[in-house]
């Protein structure tokens, strides 16, 4: 009944889909798919684009908000903004997702499994986000098993200068502010953004658990970023980028309450997460515009600290120094091929991890990595494109790893349909912590080998003209089959009273994704996405935790008059398994059932003046009570009111 009410409200609101590609696919240029500018319609991979305009239209400030409605992704956050968040793509683990910022690797080298915490970031400085569902280790190396999420920063305008800003206030004493702008004059360009958000939050211990006290868990974010460049002449230029992000959030405990063994409130627990990255590059681009070579070097530094009543309890610090030499060649001389694009390059990384925690021995370890890659995309005929890529990674700790991808796209122009298929291999290198951490219950295992995956997918997308409108209805589907072998799992030896991380697991991932998008008039459109995921332990057949079997999303916009627009998203997250706790907060099961839930978010934007907009947003419109992670309450209904200054 609740699903019917939510859908009815969505229909009454006439909200329609903020499609994940505002441009037509044949016009959209992306860079993540082959590490070079490429038309989206030529790629055999499943790639979605979240444009800056969509982030604004849906009043999305955090990275979790931006990703939550994306098809094929299951985003779970253990509390309010700032809390730890994981992204599961097509049933793969969150550690199998590679996060990038302008192509720079973000995954945390100091984290226990090397995953990126998606809950600690804002997106005010994002110009667009490109999401690849499927393996791309053949271009980016480790971690790109289930997919790649590449945040591309806002750049300077094409000419002149611009200034933009935001200020909003909302439920739970939430305040958000952003100011930024850019300038391009002659040979110089610069863009910069500053963003801040704070909130009192809400109590992440659910109402149903008796140890709940109602004490909220506050959070705070700060993000500063800038990028720019200077052209020496028509061939050589320099470019630079810097970004600093820090967040802090309170969290609750698993070992509290009257017994000391319950999921319970604890107002004294807090974590601080920070990341700083910079890069400096030299670009060679001759006037012929058929070749570009970029050499850039930089550093990513990350830290995560936990505190109890102000005293430090755990500290994780990591650093990644890198050098990237990347090249893009678009030759005209290869007359047998149509619009070929060739990218190739060499990467070097030096990673270092340090940790000092309550239960593990202090750790300080580092490792070097060299890699080389090449990718080719070309049309064999006007309707038939092929794409291939290969990469060799050479790790100091365990040697070589070779991965590759092959794919093809065939266009049936008569039916306005695109057919595609691809096959790819991938890997996830064992983290420094997984190999070298030790404690009274864990023995180090420096001989761990990478987790290895392979994926096959086949899909189509099509468009139909309706009521005199070209491509008024777009629809498509993709089916995939993935296997990940040599998964790293903790194995306990009862005879020796100690355990060790070992390559013993295997996962089978299958599923399909389908969408339909209808644009009856210029002022409105509606998009429906459905995702079915079958993610299981290959040995036992047991479903993998936190991967819902079914997921739905209806998203959209409506502009009834020139100065006003309305957008909304209805999401349904299916039943899944998780580590569960009873109503007293005691542990119940390591793989218990968790019920489905659904939410509705809405945003209205009113143009007050030419560049001034008034924004009203509502998240969880019907105040749904749910647990995205078992034992952690989802956000109650929250209303925000803001004022935006647009470029």
């Amino acid at each position: 009944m609740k699903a019917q009410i939510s859908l009815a409200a969505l229909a009454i609101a006439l909200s329609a889909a903020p499609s994940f590609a505002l441009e037509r696919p044949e016009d959209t240029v992306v860079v993540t798919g082959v590490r070079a500018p490429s038309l989206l319609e030529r790629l055999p991979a499943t790639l979605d684009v979240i444009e800056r305009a969509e982030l604004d239209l849906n009043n999305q400030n955090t990275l979790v908000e931006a990703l939550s409605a994306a098809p094929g992704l299951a985003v779970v956050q253990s509390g309010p903004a700032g809390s730890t968040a994981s992204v599961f793509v097509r049933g793969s683990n969150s550690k199998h997702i590679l996060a990038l910022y302008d192509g720079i690797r973000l995954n945390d080298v100091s984290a226990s499994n090397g995953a990126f915490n998606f809950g600690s970031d804002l997106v005010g400085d994002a110009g667009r986000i490109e999401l690849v569902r499927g393996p791309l280790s053949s271009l980016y190396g480790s971690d790109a098993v289930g997919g790649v999420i590449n945040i591309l920063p806002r750049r300077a305008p094409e000419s002149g200068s611009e200034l933009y800003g935001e200020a909003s206030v909302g439920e739970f004493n939430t305040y958000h502010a952003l100011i930024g702008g850019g300038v391009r004059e002659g040979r110089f360009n610069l863009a910069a953004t500053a963003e801040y958000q704070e909130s009192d939050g809400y109590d992440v211990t659910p109402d149903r658990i008796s140890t709940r006290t109602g004490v909220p868990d506050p959070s705070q974010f700060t993000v500063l970023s800038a990028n720019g460049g200077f052209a020496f002449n028509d061939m050589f230029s320099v470019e630079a980028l810097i970004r600093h992000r820090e967040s802090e959030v309170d969290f609750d405990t698993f070992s509290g309450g009257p017994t000391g063994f319950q999921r319970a409130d604890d107002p004294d627990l807090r974590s601080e997460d920070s990341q700083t990255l910079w890069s400096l590059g030299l670009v060679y681009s001759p006037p012929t515009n058929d070749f570009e070579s970029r050499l850039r070097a930089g550093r990513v530094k990350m830290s995560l600290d936990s505190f109890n009543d102000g005293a430090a309890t755990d500290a994780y610090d990591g650093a990644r120094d890198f050098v990237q030499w990347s090249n893009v060649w678009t030759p005209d001389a290869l007359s047998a091929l149509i619009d070929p694009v060739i990218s190739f390059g060499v990467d070097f990384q030096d990673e270092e991890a340090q940790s000092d925690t309550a239960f593990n021995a202090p750790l300080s370890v580092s490792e070097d990595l060299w890699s080389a890659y090449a990718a080719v995309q070309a049309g064999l005929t006007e309707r038939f494109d092929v794409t291939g890529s290969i990469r060799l990674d050479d790790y100091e700790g365990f040697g070589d790893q070779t991965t590759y991808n092959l794919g093809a796209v065939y266009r049936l122009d008569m039916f306005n349909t695109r057919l595609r298929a691809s096959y790819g291999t991938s890997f996830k290198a064992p983290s420094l912590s997984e190999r070298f951490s030790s404690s009274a219950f864990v023995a180090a295992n420096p001989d761990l080998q990478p987790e290895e995956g392979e994926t096959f997918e086949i899909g189509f997308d099509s468009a139909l003209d309706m009521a005199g409108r070209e491509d008024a209805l777009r629809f498509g589907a993709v089916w995939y089959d993935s296997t990940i072998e040599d998964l790293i799992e903790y194995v306990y030896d009862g005879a020796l009273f100690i355990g060790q991380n070992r390559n013993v697991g295997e996962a089978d991932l299958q599923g399909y994704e389908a969408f339909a998008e209808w644009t009856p008039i210029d002022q409105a459109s509606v998009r429906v996405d459905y995702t079915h995921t079958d993610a299981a332990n290959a040995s036992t057949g047991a479903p993998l935790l936190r991967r819902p079997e079914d997921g739905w999303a209806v998203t959209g916009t409506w502009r009834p008059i020139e100065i006003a627009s309305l957008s909304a998203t209805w999401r349904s997250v299916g039943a899944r398994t998780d580590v569960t706790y009873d109503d007293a907060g005691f542990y119940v099961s390591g793989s218990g059932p968790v019920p489905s839930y659904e939410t509705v978010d809405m945003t209205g934007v009113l143009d007050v003046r030419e560049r001034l907009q008034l924004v009203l947003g509502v998240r969880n419109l019907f105040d749904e009570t749910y647990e995205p992670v078992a034992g952690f309450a989802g956000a109650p209904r929250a209303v925000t009111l803001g004022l935006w200054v647009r470029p």
Side-chain angles (χ1 to χ4, degrees):
M1 181 65 180
K2 193 175 289 185
Q4 294 173 344
I5 294 174
S6 298
L7 283 172
L10 196 65
I12 292 171
L14 292 177
S15 62
S19 107
F20 281 91
L22 290 180
E23 302 174 85
R24 292 159 56 94
E26 56 266 33
D27 300 327
T28 304
V29 176
V30 294
V31 298
T32 308
V34 290
R35 287 186 73 160
S38 171
L39 287 173
L40 179 58
E41 71 159 6
R42 302 185 69 189
L43 288 173
T46 303
L47 192 152
D48 294 302
V49 179
I50 305 177
E51 300 283 4
R52 177 74 246 168
E54 297 173 57
L55 297 172
D56 292 339
L57 188 65
N58 296 291
N59 194 26
Q60 294 165 338
N61 297 329
T62 70
L63 185 56
V64 167
E65 291 170 348
L67 299 178
S68 290
L73 274 62
V75 183
V76 295
Q77 187 167 30
S78 55
S83 303
T84 300
S86 300
V87 174
F88 302 95
V89 178
R90 292 182 170 179
S92 62
N93 196 295
S94 190
K95 70 176 181 177
H96 295 140
I97 309 306
L98 176 61
L100 304 172
Y101 186 86
D102 197 28
I104 298 173
R105 179 181 294 268
L106 298 180
N107 287 39
D108 193 345
V109 65
S110 65
S112 59
N113 60 8
F116 176 69
N117 178 13
F118 290 90
S120 295
D121 232 319
L122 302 178
V123 292
D125 63 336
R128 75 192 309 190
I129 303 174
E130 296 185 357
L131 315 173
V132 178
R133 305 198 301 277
L136 267 188
S137 287
S138 60
L139 290 173
Y140 299 100
S142 177
D143 307 331
V145 178
V148 174
I149 297 175
N150 190 9
I151 304 168
L152 302 173
R154 282 176 157 175
R155 304 289 188 184
E158 292 296 322
S159 62
S161 61
E162 65 179 19
L163 183 69
Y164 48 86
E166 298 178 12
S168 64
V169 59
E171 217 89 39
F172 320 123
N173 291 322
T174 299
Y175 302 94
H176 176 262
L178 177 145
I179 187 169
V183 59
R184 189 180 298 271
E185 294 291 343
R187 298 180 181 274
F188 172 77
N189 71 88
L190 175 68
T193 302
E195 188 174 17
Y196 176 81
Q197 179 172 304
E198 69 173 45
S199 176
D200 287 349
Y202 60 91
D203 191 350
V204 301
T205 302
D207 283 341
R208 67 175 180 85
I209 295 182
S210 61
T211 55
R212 183 181 188 274
T213 64
V215 176
D217 296 285
S219 63
Q220 181 176 298
F221 298 83
T222 302
V223 180
L224 304 171
S225 66
N227 66 83
F230 179 80
F232 296 114
N233 51 45
D234 291 340
M235 290 192 297
F236 289 97
S237 61
V238 292
E239 59 181 15
L241 179 150
I242 187 168
R243 185 178 197 260
H244 175 74
R245 180 264 296 159
E246 56 187 45
S247 66
E248 56 182 80
V249 63
D250 285 13
F251 61 96
D252 290 335
T253 183
F254 294 94
S255 53
T259 67
F261 297 97
Q262 294 164 277
R263 171 91 179 93
D265 280 351
D266 191 331
D268 298 324
L269 299 178
R270 177 173 56 89
S271 69
E272 296 181 358
D273 188 350
S274 69
Q275 185 179 78
T276 302
L277 66 88
W278 64 265
S279 71
L280 182 64
L282 177 66
V283 181
Y284 168 71
S285 182
T288 56
N289 292 323
D290 62 350
F291 182 75
E292 181 179 87
S293 183
R294 175 178 279 101
L295 178 66
R296 71 172 175 175
R299 175 171 243 244
V300 182
K301 182 173 175 54
M302 59 282 288
S303 67
L304 175 63
D305 300 305
S306 298
F307 301 87
N308 188 350
D309 198 19
T313 56
D314 301 294
Y316 297 87
D317 294 282
R320 178 182 296 112
D321 296 307
F322 65 89
V323 179
Q324 297 176 340
W325 178 51
S326 57
N327 305 271
V328 178
W329 182 33
T330 53
D332 293 328
L334 301 178
S335 57
L337 301 176
I338 299 173
D339 297 329
V341 178
I342 300 171
S343 64
F344 60 94
V346 176
D347 296 338
F348 169 78
Q349 296 177 75
D350 179 19
E351 298 183 333
E352 179 181 0
Q354 298 180 347
S355 63
D356 188 359
T357 69
F359 299 104
N360 292 338
L363 176 69
S364 180
V365 63
S366 62
E367 181 177 60
D368 289 346
L369 159 67
W370 285 93
S371 58
Y373 72 91
V376 178
Q377 181 180 82
L380 302 184
T381 71
E382 290 291 343
R383 295 188 296 175
F384 186 44
D385 287 312
V386 295
T387 302
S389 55
I390 188 169
R391 177 175 170 123
L392 173 66
D393 289 274
D394 185 6
Y395 281 81
E396 180 183 359
F398 52 80
D400 299 343
Q401 196 74 22
T402 301
T403 50
Y404 63 91
N405 273 46
L406 295 171
V409 174
Y410 187 76
R411 287 176 291 277
L412 297 170
D413 294 338
M414 181 182 300
F415 301 101
N416 205 7
T417 297
R418 187 177 70 118
L419 306 176
R420 59 185 177 86
S422 65
Y423 174 82
T425 62
S426 56
F427 78 101
K428 167 71 173 77
S431 71
L432 294 174
S433 177
E434 286 173 327
R435 277 181 277 169
F436 299 108
S437 286
S438 62
S439 70
F441 303 100
V442 179
N445 185 1
D447 297 324
L448 276 176
Q449 295 300 302
E451 303 174 341
E452 298 182 338
E454 59 176 352
T455 299
F456 174 76
E457 70 174 81
I458 184 169
F460 81 95
D461 53 78
S462 187
L464 296 176
D465 299 342
M466 298 180 66
R469 293 184 59 82
E470 183 180 1
D471 298 348
L473 178 63
R474 291 180 176 270
F475 57 95
V478 60
W479 172 86
Y480 64 88
D481 189 339
S482 300
T483 301
I484 306 176
E485 300 178 335
D486 294 328
L487 289 174
I488 297 171
E489 297 181 0
Y490 175 74
V491 179
Y492 182 71
D493 189 330
L496 299 177
F497 301 103
I498 198 169
Q500 190 178 53
N501 289 320
R502 297 178 186 172
N503 295 104
V504 295
E506 182 176 339
D508 285 337
L509 314 173
Q510 294 183 0
Y512 55 88
E513 302 153 359
F515 80 94
E517 182 176 3
W518 181 39
T519 308
I521 57 176
D522 290 340
Q523 294 80 16
S525 64
V526 61
R527 172 166 172 150
V528 180
D529 284 283
Y530 172 70
T531 301
H532 176 80
T533 306
D534 184 7
N537 183 311
S539 301
T540 65
L544 300 181
L545 301 184
R546 299 182 182 175
R547 279 77 152 183
E549 186 173 340
D550 300 292
W552 289 89
V554 181
T555 54
T557 59
W558 179 44
R559 196 174 186 91
I561 56 177
E562 184 64 26
I563 63 170
S565 65
L566 178 70
S567 67
T569 299
W570 171 78
R571 266 199 321 138
S572 174
V573 178
R576 58 221 176 276
T577 60
D578 203 343
V579 178
T580 54
Y581 302 85
D582 64 18
D583 291 349
F586 290 105
Y587 169 86
V588 174
S589 171
S591 182
V594 179
S596 62
Y597 68 91
E598 58 190 60
T599 60
V600 174
D601 300 333
M602 300 187 69
T603 302
V605 180
L606 178 66
D607 297 341
V608 179
R609 300 185 64 179
E610 183 179 357
R611 296 180 54 213
L612 192 64
Q613 295 178 319
L614 186 66
V615 183
L616 178 65
V618 184
R619 301 210 176 277
N620 193 4
L621 178 65
F622 298 101
D623 204 19
E624 173 90 347
T625 298
Y626 65 100
E627 296 178 21
V629 178
F632 292 81
R637 178 172 49 233
V639 179
T640 61
L641 180 65
L643 199 63
W644 295 349
V645 177
R646 286 292 158 246

